[in-house]
Amino acid sequence: MPGPSRLIALLAALLAASSARSQPAPSAPALIPMPLQLEVVGGPPFVFTSRTPLVVEPGDAEARRVAGLLVEVLRTSDEGAPPVVEAETTTPSVRLLTQSTRDDLGAEGYQLSVSAQGVTLTAAAPAGLFYGVQTLRQLMPPRVEYTAARHRPLAVPAVEVTDRPRFAWRGMMLDVARHFFGVEDVERVVDLMALYKLNRLHLHLSDDQGWRIEIPGRPALTEVGGRTEVGGGPGGFYTTSDYDRIVRYAAERFVTVVPEVDLPGHTNAALASVPELNCDGVAPEPYTGIRVGFSSVCVDREATYAFVDDVVRELAARTPGDEVHLGGDEVRELPPTDYARFVARAQAIVRRHGKRFVGWDEVAEVDLAPGATVQVWRPQLASTGQAVRRAVDAGARVVLSPSDRIYLDMKADSSMVLGLTWAGLNGVRDAYDWEPVGMVEGVPETAIRGVEAPLWTETVGTVRDVEFMAFPRLAGVAEVGWSPRAGRSWDEYRLRLAQHGPRWTALGVSFFRSPEVPWPLGGVE
Ligand code: IFG
C-alpha cells in the first residue's frame, strides 16, 4: 500500500491528466474536417486588416470568384472589404493561385501556407481553392463570422497545410417532402455544408405527403401534390426557376445537387395528383400522416412509365450532376418480381436521359446497370449485405448512410423533442466514431463513393429545426468523409468540435448543445 505522500502525488497526476484532457491543446487549430497534413509552424501569425489584398492571377475568373466568397466572410458593415487584385503587391497579402506542384491532390485538394509575411493558397482546380478558403476561414477567430461586429485585426496562426479528401461523395440529404423548405432555407443549408467541405446535397423531392418539383406538362403534380405536408400545413413546391436557382447556388459552392423522386413507393402525393398512376384509376386523398410503405404507383400501366420518363427528363435537363435518384425504399405493396420489373425499367429511363441511377439499398436486389449507386441505409440487415455485395461485384458502387449512425432525424439523446427513435439514438459520438470500410461486409474502399447524412423531416418543420438536428453531428460526418482513416479519435475530435460552438453562435446556427461535447461558455472570440 503506497504511503500518503505517494497517494497525494498519484492524485495530483490524475487531476493534471483530467484537466489537460478537458482543455484543447492551445496551439492546434480546431479544423474540421482535419486535413491530410497540418503543420503548426509557430512564430508570428498572419494578421488580416481591412486592407489586406486578395491576389489572383490575371484572367483567372474562377479564382476571382472564389476570392469573392472569402471577401463575403471578411466583409463587415463598417470596416469594408478586402480588395481583390491581380497585381503582385509588397503588402502582406493572400494569394489564390490555380496551380499546383502536386498532381496527387486532385481537383478538391489544395496547399495552404500561412506566415507573417503572407498567405499562399494553391490548388489544381477551383474546388481546391474553395476548400482551402474554408480552411483559412476556420483558422480565423470565430468572430469573423459576424457580419456587423468590428472584429479586426484577425490573426491567423502560421501553418503549412496539404490536403485532399478521402471520399468523393460527402453529402447531406434534406427531405423537403414531409415538410417543405423554401429556396432561402436550402441556400442556408448549402452555406453550412460548404463550411465543412461537403459536396453533395441530395434533395428528397417527393413522398407520400408532398410532390415538390414542377414538371412542365404535368401541373397537377404540384397543384395537388404540393398543396400540403405532414400535419396539414401549406406545403409548397419549387418552380423550375426555383430549382435552377438552388442548383446554381449550390454549384457556386461546389455542392452538386442529387435530385430524388421516390418510386415506386412513397408516392401517395403523385397518386393523389395523377389518377392514371393508380391501377384502379382512382386518386387517393392527400396524406398528411407519417406512416410509410402503404403506397405504390401501378407498375402494370404504360402511363406510369410515361410519367417516369417525363419526370426524369425534366430533372436530368436541369441537373448538372451525373446522378438522378429514384428512391426504391419501403415498397410493401408490391411483390418482389413487380418491384424488380419496375426498377429495371426506371433505371433504363435514367440512363436514357444521360444520367446515372441511384437507389436506396432495396434496389440492390435488382440487376443494376454498371455506374449505378446503391445508398445503404440498413447496414444492420444481413440480407442487405449480400445483395449489396452482389451489386458491387456487378459494377455498382455504394454511398453509406447507416441509419444507426448518421440519420440526423434520429434523436441525438432522449432530451430531444424533435426527431424519431426507430433506429435508436444517434449521438454525436455515434455519428463520428465509425469507419465506412467494413460497414457492409465485403465491400472494399474502392466501391465506396462516400457518405451522406439523411435528414428526414417528419418532425422537423423549420430551418432552425434543420440546424438543430444537423449540428453538431453533420460536422462529424464531414470528417468521416474527408479526413484520413488513421488518426481519427473521438477523444481528440470532441475537443476540436467544442471550438466550433462559438463559430456557430456567430453564424446564428441553432445547434444542439450536446452534453457529449465540452462547449466553451461565454462570448465569441
Ligand atoms: N425510412 C424511410 C424514410 C423516412 C425515415 C425516417 C428511408 C430510406 C424512415 N426510408 O429511410 O422515408 O420515413 O427516419
Side-chain angles (χ1 to χ4, degrees):
M1 179 66 178
S5 61
R6 177 88 179 94
L7 277 176
I8 290 168
L10 190 63
L11 189 63
L14 281 174
L15 282 174
S18 66
S19 66
R21 201 165 48 241
S22 64
Q23 295 306 322
S27 65
L31 298 176
I32 298 177
M34 176 57 78
L36 175 68
Q37 291 168 5
L38 165 64
E39 182 196 349
V40 180
V41 173
F46 177 77
V47 178
F48 268 95
T49 69
S50 51
R51 304 306 305 153
T52 299
L54 308 184
V55 182
V56 298
E57 290 161 313
D60 189 340
E62 269 297 86
R64 175 176 284 275
R65 189 180 66 75
V66 171
L69 294 172
L70 176 56
V71 165
E72 288 318 303
V73 173
L74 291 166
R75 182 191 302 281
T76 59
S77 48
D78 73 337
E79 292 173 324
V84 178
V85 300
E86 292 190 354
E88 282 299 336
T89 163
T90 54
T91 312
S93 65
V94 177
R95 301 190 304 156
L96 294 87
L97 309 176
T98 310
Q99 62 185 247
S100 174
T101 57
R102 297 278 302 263
D103 57 7
D104 61 327
L105 299 182
E108 296 184 294
Y110 62 90
Q111 290 188 284
L112 178 66
S113 173
V114 179
S115 75
Q117 289 68 42
V119 177
T120 301
L121 168 56
T122 61
L129 286 182
F130 180 73
Y131 292 138
V133 162
Q134 303 316 310
T135 299
L136 180 59
R137 177 180 175 185
Q138 289 191 14
L139 287 168
M140 296 179 202
R143 66 176 184 275
V144 73
E145 307 295 351
Y146 281 124
T147 54
R150 295 174 59 85
H151 54 41
R152 287 191 181 77
L154 290 168
V156 175
V159 295
E160 293 293 333
V161 179
T162 298
D163 204 4
R164 57 155 300 159
R166 178 184 179 191
F167 291 111
W169 185 305
R170 307 180 305 277
M172 175 181 171
M173 184 208 82
L174 181 61
D175 168 9
V176 298
R178 275 44 183 273
H179 280 93
F180 181 65
F181 295 86
V183 174
E184 289 77 8
D185 289 345
V186 178
E187 291 176 345
R188 167 68 166 184
V189 170
V190 168
D191 284 340
L192 297 174
M193 289 174 65
L195 175 57
Y196 291 95
K197 304 188 176 75
L198 293 167
N199 66 2
R200 292 284 189 288
L201 173 63
H202 169 178
L203 286 177
H204 185 76
L205 292 165
S206 70
D207 212 295
D208 291 319
Q209 299 84 351
W211 182 281
R212 305 299 182 204
I213 180 70
E214 177 192 3
I215 303 294
R218 291 181 178 266
L221 281 170
T222 41
E223 281 164 13
V224 177
R227 190 178 294 166
T228 188
E229 58 192 351
V230 166
F237 65 91
Y238 304 121
T239 63
T240 52
S241 58
D242 290 336
Y243 183 75
D244 293 346
R245 187 177 144 195
I246 289 170
V247 165
R248 187 168 52 251
Y249 191 89
E252 287 169 353
R253 289 148 186 86
F254 300 91
V255 174
T256 300
V257 169
V258 178
E260 177 193 355
V261 161
D262 203 342
L263 291 163
H266 283 272
T267 43
N268 191 77
L271 294 166
S273 311
V274 183
E276 62 184 2
L277 295 178
N278 298 270
C279 284
D280 62 3
V282 177
E285 287 303 308
Y287 177 68
T288 59
I290 63 169
R291 285 186 302 109
V292 298
F294 61 88
S295 60
S296 170
V297 291
C298 185
V299 298
D300 300 326
R301 286 185 162 216
E302 281 312 304
T304 296
Y305 300 97
F307 161 76
V308 175
D309 193 55
D310 287 349
V311 170
V312 172
R313 182 189 318 108
E314 187 59 33
L315 286 179
R318 295 185 179 282
T319 301
D322 292 336
E323 268 78 23
V324 168
H325 196 311
L326 289 190
D329 61 308
E330 296 182 321
V331 186
R332 295 172 186 163
E333 295 303 310
L334 283 184
T337 49
D338 288 359
Y339 174 80
R341 182 158 47 88
F342 175 85
V343 171
R345 287 189 68 176
Q347 72 163 331
I349 291 171
V350 171
R351 288 169 59 80
R352 189 159 64 244
H353 289 290
K355 298 298 181 182
R356 293 189 303 203
F357 173 82
V358 186
W360 296 103
D361 60 39
E362 287 93 331
V363 301
E365 303 290 347
V366 175
D367 290 340
L368 296 173
T373 297
V374 174
Q375 183 163 11
V376 177
W377 66 288
R378 304 174 302 167
Q380 62 276 22
L381 293 182
S383 62
T384 309
Q386 288 155 1
V388 170
R389 267 191 302 282
R390 192 172 54 246
V392 165
D393 291 345
R397 289 180 294 170
V398 303
V399 166
L400 296 172
S401 298
S403 46
D404 59 351
R405 287 286 177 172
I406 57 176
Y407 261 37
L408 300 176
D409 65 313
M410 291 304 115
K411 295 176 190 292
D413 71 25
S414 53
S415 74
M416 265 198 182
V417 173
L418 300 177
L420 302 173
T421 56
W422 65 268
L425 298 177
N426 286 352
V428 183
R429 178 169 188 170
D430 297 325
Y432 176 78
D433 204 5
W434 64 286
E435 167 51 40
V437 177
M439 171 59 67
V440 181
E441 182 65 33
V443 173
E445 180 150 0
T446 51
I448 299 173
R449 301 189 70 183
V451 297
E452 181 184 297
L455 177 51
W456 301 101
T457 58
E458 283 92 338
T459 67
V460 176
T462 67
V463 70
R464 282 172 309 289
D465 299 348
V466 168
E467 294 173 4
F468 193 73
M469 300 308 278
F471 289 91
R473 293 178 290 176
L474 187 63
V477 178
E479 181 147 314
V480 173
W482 179 282
S483 303
R485 173 176 189 167
R488 286 207 295 113
S489 116
W490 165 252
D491 287 338
E492 182 277 328
Y493 169 75
R494 67 188 283 273
L495 302 180
R496 210 166 359 114
L497 178 62
Q499 301 309 310
H500 283 245
R503 193 173 296 273
W504 296 336
T505 298
L507 282 166
V509 176
S510 166
F511 67 101
F512 171 54
R513 280 141 180 88
S514 166
E516 296 176 75
V517 182
W519 306 108
L521 302 176
V524 177
E525 298 296 321

